[in-house]
Amino acid sequence: MRTSHPIPENSIAFDHPITGPHQEPPTVSNATTYWRCRSCNRESIHKRDLYRASFHTSTCEVHGC
């Protein structure tokens, strides 16, 4: 039986530039979850977007995916 739990993706201990899911504040109409690249600060509601090189800035460390 496995008793350890994996580190959540949005945990500070998880050292990866793609973080999430993050929840928008309830004051935002139609609030949803989103994913963020800490390296270039771009966000998307679709996690798969962050795995496309064209999504990131040219100076982003994830740009080459």
Side-chain angles (χ1 to χ4, degrees):
M1 182 170 127
R2 186 175 168 189
T3 58
S4 64
H5 299 283
I7 298 171
E9 281 189 86
N10 60 354
S11 167
I12 289 175
F14 192 83
D15 189 28
H16 195 275
I18 296 174
T19 63
H22 303 284
Q23 181 68 43
E24 289 181 315
T27 55
V28 174
S29 64
N30 298 325
T32 187
T33 57
Y34 62 94
W35 299 84
R36 176 186 297 134
C37 176
R38 291 185 306 183
S39 182
C40 64
N41 291 318
R42 292 202 172 170
E43 300 172 346
S44 177
I45 61 171
H46 304 289
K47 184 178 180 181
R48 67 182 174 269
D49 288 344
L50 282 89
Y51 291 97
R52 290 185 294 113
S54 61
F55 177 83
H56 302 273
T57 63
S58 60
T59 58
C60 179
E61 67 182 70
V62 183
H63 180 72
C65 295

